[in-house]
Amino acid sequence: MDSKYILLGLCCLYYLNVFSQGEITVEELKAHIVFLSSDENLGRAPGGHPNRQVVRYIKNEFKAMGLRSFKRGFKQKFDAKIRVDKGMPEKEDKTCNVIGFVEGNDPVLKKEVILLGAHYDHLGLGGPSSKSDQRGVVYHGADDNASGTSALLEIAEYIMAQKDQLKRSVVFVAFGAEEQGLLGSRYFVEHPPVRLTQIKLMINMDMVGRMNADKHVYMNGAGTFPKGVEFMKSLGESLGVSPIVHAGSVGGSDHVSFYKKNISVLGMHTGAHPQYHTPEDTIEFINFEGQKLVCEYIAQAILRKATSDDAMYFIYQD
């Protein structure tokens, strides 16, 4: 065979491989949630072997896609005070955040950061935060927040495939112990691997797997960065979703820890449901096509802000 055709074929295979690596797929989202919400991970409570197993999974995914770690490595360890049922003894467990980043290419703007986060923990075998009286059964947390964690991994892979376009740097964080009172994000902002003034926007995903038939994506805090409300509305509509955009109403997940430090935030979700904080929050209810749309929406928001030189600064909202 003519060598030029062999070379052409190899080039085609290379570019197809690059494309598939950067594509957000239903198959990969589902595979992540299958693992994260499985019985063997015992509801992903902080501490113990299941927590370490989940952390190792996320860390390995970060490493495989080529994300870099900060000086102390991918894991940011901390002690978490665990909420317990009334009358039970106080408890503390060791857990961690998992952090990776891709550096931007602009000599000035690479010092600015877009941060994407999602908490990976859930309620274990039940406790005081449960909406069910059941104890000793697995609270799978497929939507809360295996959906956000799987989205984090898929979006990180997508952004890595576009890394040559980035002006700003992008940091990815899987937070531990959110269900115990935003402990992972609180620890992060008190012990940041980059200066907090460098973080120009924090996007948080908490429960992004239950998109409804109207394709609603809800978000809080869009008014905390310049023209954020208009930007998120127009971008969402162009991608075929129906964004419900609030300028303020910052809400109650990990992005709150950043907002309290005067950092612009977006808290993203697809809405509450009867299975919230019960053992019935399982993979059967996940709308994977809808979750893929949410991922594409957030990925494009990150890409557009990370490849632009638009001024990014904090705007206070009530």
Side-chain angles (χ1 to χ4, degrees):
M1 183 181 289
D2 194 316
S3 61
K4 68 180 180 181
Y5 291 110
I6 295 173
L7 181 61
L8 179 62
L10 290 172
C11 288
C12 289
L13 284 171
Y14 170 78
Y15 285 112
L16 281 170
N17 185 51
V18 169
F19 177 79
S20 65
Q21 285 179 343
E23 187 180 3
I24 295 168
T25 69
V26 163
E27 291 76 19
E28 290 184 354
L29 287 168
K30 186 171 185 178
H32 292 316
I33 295 181
V34 165
F35 169 75
L36 292 164
S37 64
S38 64
D39 286 347
E40 68 177 302
N41 287 322
L42 298 180
R44 306 189 306 282
H49 174 72
N51 182 84
R52 292 192 296 272
Q53 183 169 263
V54 170
V55 166
R56 184 165 55 249
Y57 180 89
I58 297 168
K59 175 186 170 183
N60 288 343
E61 288 290 324
F62 278 5
K63 290 175 70 175
M65 68 182 72
L67 289 180
R68 294 168 59 184
S69 68
F70 290 100
K71 289 182 179 179
R72 294 181 178 270
F74 287 99
K75 295 192 290 185
Q76 184 186 50
K77 299 178 182 179
F78 63 94
D79 294 327
K81 185 177 180 181
I82 307 302
R83 292 172 172 171
V84 296
D85 284 318
K86 188 175 181 180
M88 297 295 290
E90 291 186 358
K91 184 181 179 184
E92 193 172 85
D93 272 312
K94 295 184 182 298
T95 188
C96 65
N97 300 321
V98 189
I99 308 168
F101 76 97
V102 54
E103 188 173 50
N105 299 291
D106 186 277
V108 175
L109 288 175
K110 70 179 182 180
K111 296 176 183 177
E112 297 187 359
V113 167
I114 309 295
L115 188 150
L116 181 66
H119 75 89
Y120 64 84
D121 65 300
H122 194 50
L123 300 179
L125 302 180
S129 298
S130 307
K131 301 298 182 184
S132 166
D133 293 333
Q134 296 184 71
R135 298 292 184 270
V137 297
V138 175
Y139 281 65
H140 298 90
D143 189 32
D144 185 14
N145 190 32
S147 68
T149 307
S150 64
L152 179 74
L153 296 174
E154 281 293 276
I155 294 169
E157 187 177 38
Y158 174 83
I159 295 297
M160 278 299 293
Q162 323 296 323
K163 64 182 180 180
D164 291 343
Q165 301 181 40
L166 303 178
K167 294 182 178 180
R168 293 182 167 100
S169 299
V170 185
V171 173
F172 302 92
V173 188
F175 294 109
E178 186 271 350
E179 302 286 8
Q180 309 303 321
L182 316 184
L183 300 187
S185 56
R186 282 170 50 189
Y187 190 88
F188 182 98
V189 298
E190 295 299 334
H191 305 84
V194 298
R195 292 193 302 274
L196 292 181
T197 54
Q198 292 178 251
I199 304 174
K200 299 302 176 183
L201 176 62
M202 188 277 181
I203 302 175
N204 184 47
M205 302 176 293
D206 196 346
M207 298 172 56
V208 293
R210 301 286 290 270
M211 179 181 274
N212 61 27
D214 294 320
K215 297 184 178 180
H216 287 149
V217 181
Y218 303 89
M219 70 204 72
N220 309 92
T224 61
F225 63 98
K227 299 181 181 178
V229 172
E230 298 88 344
F231 171 71
M232 294 306 295
K233 281 184 177 179
S234 62
L235 177 60
E237 290 164 1
S238 74
L239 296 172
V241 302
S242 301
I244 309 297
V245 184
H246 298 281
S249 303
V250 171
S253 187
D254 284 311
H255 54 287
V256 174
S257 300
F258 291 80
Y259 181 74
K260 289 180 177 179
K261 297 292 185 180
N262 294 335
I263 295 170
S264 303
V265 297
L266 275 174
M268 312 283 294
H269 63 99
T270 52
H273 47 76
Q275 294 78 33
Y276 171 69
H277 278 197
T278 73
E280 288 73 44
D281 180 8
T282 54
I283 196 168
E284 289 78 14
F285 291 101
I286 299 295
N287 174 356
F288 284 103
E289 291 293 342
Q291 187 191 8
K292 180 174 180 285
L293 272 177
V294 176
C295 289
E296 291 168 345
Y297 182 22
I298 295 170
Q300 285 303 312
I302 293 169
L303 192 61
R304 296 191 187 198
K305 290 303 178 184
T307 58
S308 79
D309 52 11
D310 296 342
M312 295 286 289
Y313 52 86
F314 176 73
I315 301 170
Y316 175 77
Q317 296 288 333
D318 291 330

